[in-house]
Structures are given as C-alpha cells and as structure tokens.
Amino acid sequence: MSILKLVTVPSKLLSQKSEPIQDSEFGEELDKFMSDMAETMYAFEGVGLAGVQVGKLKTILVADLGYATGLPYGQGSVKMVNPRIVESSSNMISIPEGCLSYPGLETSVDRADKIKVEYFTPLGERREEEFTNLAAIVLQHEMDHFVGTTLLSRSSSFKRQRYEARLKKEMQRYLKANGYEIR
Ligand SMILES: [Zn+2]
C-alpha cells in the first residue's frame, strides 16, 4: 500500500466531472488503488476521499463510516464504485464540513439525513445500503466531488473571498520563509 498525492486548492481538477468505472476496469487493480486511497485518507485523518482528490477523475470513493456501525475510526472503511443515491429523505441536516482538498475551510451544507445508495465493490459486486446522519453527510459530500461541486463552491461568496485571501497570504508567507523574492 502507498500514500497517494492529494489534489488540493487551487487545482482546476477539483471542479471537473468524473467518469464512471467501466465493466473492464473492475478487479484487483482497482481494489488495490482504492486501498491506497483509504490509506491516504487515514494518513490525513479524513473521513472520506473521492477519486478526483488523488487525481483520478472516476466515480470512486472511500469513506470511514465506522461511527455508524460502532467500529473505531480506522476500522470502518468502505470502498464504493459508481455510487448512486436511489432514495433520499426530505429531512435536511447540516454540520460544519471539512475537506482534505481545502485545508482550513469549514462550511455547513444542507444534506438529506437519510439516503439509500446503490454502489459496486471494486470487484464488481452490486450493493444497496441505507445511510443516516453523519454517514449520509459524508457520502453526499464525496459524491459532490463527482460533479465538480466543492465545499468552496458551496460556501457563501463572502466566505469564499475570505478563504482565498487567507490562502494567498499563507502562500506569500511560505515563499518568503523559503527565500523566494516576491514582487
Ligand atoms: Zn471533500
């Protein structure tokens, strides 16, 4: 297993659409890649990671949903290929969400509190499962990545401007500290 390189702001990749995994792409190799994704997610202490966040524009995600099943963090990872919400509650909840691709950004987004998801395992087995609360939020967040919707694009324009200004400032501080001349 290996830790993959994270795609972060300001990469244009994050606003692009992902393609579904084709029948011929299921198998051991995909399974191994998604194990690397899970290892990467844990290395950065995240609860979910979509393909685009490691530079793969495919509708694949890993998530740790252990809190929903009573497993400790680190032991409840799931791999979902081509997941699709087939049923969605009209009850909405929201909590401040973070994203490994947007360090330091927190935004609350209205999400359905219960969803039924159809997905495939990397080896091609079809599954259908219901998820509630935090697990439902995490999965909706990751599936947002498939269509190029990000936490930043879900933020108010005020928050977005403030975040971008802060990034610029931190970048300048970094360049200065590393001996670059800023003009
Ligand atoms: Zn994210």
Side-chain angles (χ1 to χ4, degrees):
M1 294 224 284
S2 51
I3 293 171
L4 306 167
K5 204 165 167 278
L6 275 187
V7 173
T8 61
V9 64
S11 172
K12 295 257 185 291
L13 215 57
L14 292 164
S15 53
Q16 288 185 24
K17 280 202 171 76
S18 294
E19 297 289 329
I21 289 287
Q22 304 298 319
D23 287 354
S24 63
E25 296 174 289
F26 283 93
E28 294 291 339
E29 203 179 311
L30 180 64
D31 190 47
K32 193 198 158 292
F33 182 77
M34 291 180 76
S35 294
D36 288 346
M37 281 177 67
E39 198 187 353
T40 306
M41 170 182 79
Y42 288 127
F44 291 94
E45 291 167 358
V47 290
L49 197 66
V52 60
Q53 295 181 279
V54 290
K56 202 168 176 86
L57 283 168
K58 293 283 178 180
T59 54
I60 53 176
L61 68 85
V62 295
D64 188 295
L65 306 179
Y67 38 77
T69 46
L71 289 169
Y73 177 73
Q75 288 174 35
S77 75
V78 294
K79 299 169 181 170
M80 294 187 180
V81 179
N82 300 345
R84 197 168 64 90
I85 296 173
V86 291
E87 261 176 57
S88 182
S89 146
S90 55
N91 268 358
M92 304 301 255
I93 43 169
S94 72
I95 54 155
E97 297 175 26
C99 181
L100 292 180
S101 294
Y102 294 88
L105 180 69
E106 268 198 356
T107 292
S108 297
V109 182
D110 285 338
R111 310 274 192 197
D113 70 350
K114 192 159 84 176
I115 53 173
K116 194 190 264 182
V117 180
E118 180 210 66
Y119 66 96
F120 294 85
T121 69
L123 299 178
E125 255 177 76
R126 187 186 167 280
R127 301 260 167 89
E128 202 172 273
E129 266 177 76
E130 205 168 79
F131 300 92
T132 57
N133 301 317
L134 202 48
I137 290 175
V138 170
L139 292 176
Q140 287 169 87
H141 173 116
E142 298 315 324
M143 282 188 254
D144 265 2
H145 280 296
F146 295 164
V147 291
T149 298
T150 67
L151 213 48
L152 195 60
S153 64
R154 289 246 194 219
S155 303
S156 65
S157 68
F158 174 72
K159 196 174 215 173
R160 211 156 51 222
Q161 284 164 16
R162 214 176 43 168
Y163 182 72
E164 279 163 354
R166 200 171 83 210
L167 272 188
K168 205 168 150 190
K169 217 188 267 172
E170 286 194 9
M171 178 63 85
Q172 281 168 350
R173 194 180 306 144
Y174 171 84
L175 290 173
K176 225 175 184 174
N178 286 278
Y180 292 90
E181 191 186 332
I182 304 162
R183 274 180 278 237

